[in-house]
DNA sequence: TTTT
DNA sequence: TTTT
């Protein structure tokens, strides 16, 4: 009934586009999300998770057109679970995330750019709303 | 950096308790989360996802003590990902959810209860905060 | 850019309905949201906030039709701020919340009902999605 | 029971610091949150809300030390409501937001910096966790 | 002006 | 392996 996910992360590669039999566009990509934590020794560690993201319809069209590898995004969506049986007849499942709203937070600097590379190899862009024509508050 | 999950669902079985070498309690359970959607024919369908939940420390102690199979909870947490290699040396991963705040929303009625079973086989309980002594707003 | 609010609370009165010049329906109500906290003496206290909720269009129609005083709801929305000047020319503002998704969690028992009042004076209802025909995950 | 707010915005001035009789630090500031929407003519408009933010204890200390005017932050917190009576004996109330987790997203470029001002007059900084020593996932 |  |  309540199933909500909010993530900030970076695309590990360009989005992939495919189409449902109905003609609806599906755009998928993998999102790298970092977590920082202190280990037992009190030192900061960083861990990265890679989540499978899926989007449909108009949002999928905009994401396929406007996102690319390395972009940092803010994503709101919900958890889903694919279920299947493997060749051995064993039940398998995989969690994925369906995107519902996405904002582009930043793009990595072009290496050949005449712009001075900014801090941490990233160029700041004003957050861009990728949720289209509608009035979306995020 | 932002990694937040909010879910309402029901425990599919009693929580399992184990302990880390440090003595810290770990409580795990599976949460059934329902999704209702319209199929192509316009009829409402229901799909259920089963997510693996993990909790640590004081929250784990309270959840192990106070939750049981069938309880409906509101959970706030974050996504994690376990990674390993199988015997064939292939990389495998599994998404799980670490609970950070939990509220008990309702318990199923005891079948042998002298209480009249309420609507839909569920007894209403006032939402119970399982986040302990601290002042937690959820 | 990100502006998200999630609340569980109860309507303090029946919703009020009005219409914009465009004909669009606007439904407003006040939501009582409780907070429990420990005072300095270590005793649990409860405090109640009353937030002004506003909804528009199709959601407003459903909320005006299906919600009433005392209903407990789960609400997702975003913060807004009304600004005006008073007679003395001083700037004034008031925070309100625009509802984007609403689920009905429970209704208070009718006092004259032939139903046995359930625990805590509340009848449990299966959470009801008030977000209409679309496939909304909450 | 559930009372959660997530915002991205910029500080309109440096934070203010005060102390409770108990010695606990309180840090307050105003956060400017932008909303983009299409007007009736189909043109994008931008509106800005100013929310009052309050923080306590260790988080207040870090925010007082590390935040300043113009910083863009991601904030997680909950809604509160101050209530009082004015001189005329009328009930008044004001919504505010208590910060629970904060991440620094970006700082405006120093005007006298020898750094080339980056895109849109802002310097990108890697998101900084201001939630201290604990392992906070945001 | 407030709900349970 | 699944809850209501």
């Amino acid at each position: 009934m309540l199933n909500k996910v909010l993530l900030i992360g970076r695309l590990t590669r360009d989005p992939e586009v495919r189409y449902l039999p109905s003609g609806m566009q599906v755009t998928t990509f993998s999102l790298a999300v970092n977590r920082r934590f202190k280990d037992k020794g009190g030192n900061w560690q960083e861990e990265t998770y890679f989540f499978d993201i899926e989007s449909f319809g108009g949002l999928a069209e905009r994401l396929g057109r406007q996102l690319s590898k390395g972009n940092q995004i803010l994503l709101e969506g919900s958890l889903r679970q694919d279920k299947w049986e493997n060749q051995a007849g064993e039940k398998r499942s995989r969690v994925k995330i369906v995107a519902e709203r996405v904002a582009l937070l930043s793009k990595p600097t072009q290496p050949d750019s005449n712009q001075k590379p900014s801090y941490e190899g990233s160029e700041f862009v004003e957050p861009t709303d990728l949720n289209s024509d509608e009035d979306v508050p995020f």
Side-chain angles (χ1 to χ4, degrees), chain A residues 4 10-13 17 26-27 30 32 37 41 56 59 84 99 102 106 110 113 121 124 128 132 138:
Chain A
K4 182 157 290 291
R10 287 185 187 277
L11 277 77
T12 63
R13 48 177 196 272
V17 169
V26 182
T27 299
S30 168
F37 63 99
F56 297 91
L59 178 61
W84 71 94
V102 174
S106 69
Q110 300 306 116
S113 162
F124 186 81
T128 305
S132 103
F138 142 148

Side-chain angles (χ1 to χ4, degrees), chain A residues 14-45:
Chain A
D14 289 340
E16 284 163 33
V17 169
R18 58 177 219 271
Y19 298 87
L20 298 180
S22 66
M24 176 179 274
Q25 183 170 333
V26 182
T27 299
T28 58
F29 53 89
S30 168
L31 194 71
V33 173
N34 295 314
R35 183 173 85 101
R36 302 173 69 236
F37 63 99
K38 283 227 168 121
D39 61 21
K40 316 98 206 174
N43 303 308
W44 282 103
Q45 299 289 140

Side-chain angles (χ1 to χ4, degrees), chain A residues 13 29-31 50-54 94-98:
Chain A
R13 48 177 196 272
F29 53 89
S30 168
L31 194 71
F50 299 94
F51 299 123
D52 292 319
I53 314 293
E54 205 163 44
R94 212 180 84 262
V95 170
K96 66 185 179 190
I97 296 162
V98 172

Side-chain angles (χ1 to χ4, degrees), chain A residues 7-8 16-17 44-45 55 60 62 73 75 86 95 109 121 131:
Chain A
L7 295 172
I8 289 179
E16 284 163 33
V17 169
W44 282 103
Q45 299 289 140
S55 59
R62 289 184 297 280
I73 63 171
L75 180 148
N86 66 9
V95 170
T109 308
N131 302 291

Side-chain angles (χ1 to χ4, degrees), chain A residues 113-131:
Chain A
S113 162
N114 60 339
Q115 280 208 228
K116 176 189 159 299
S118 64
Y119 187 84
E120 296 272 331
S122 287
E123 170 200 12
F124 186 81
V125 294
E126 272 305 290
T128 305
D129 184 351
L130 300 175
N131 302 291

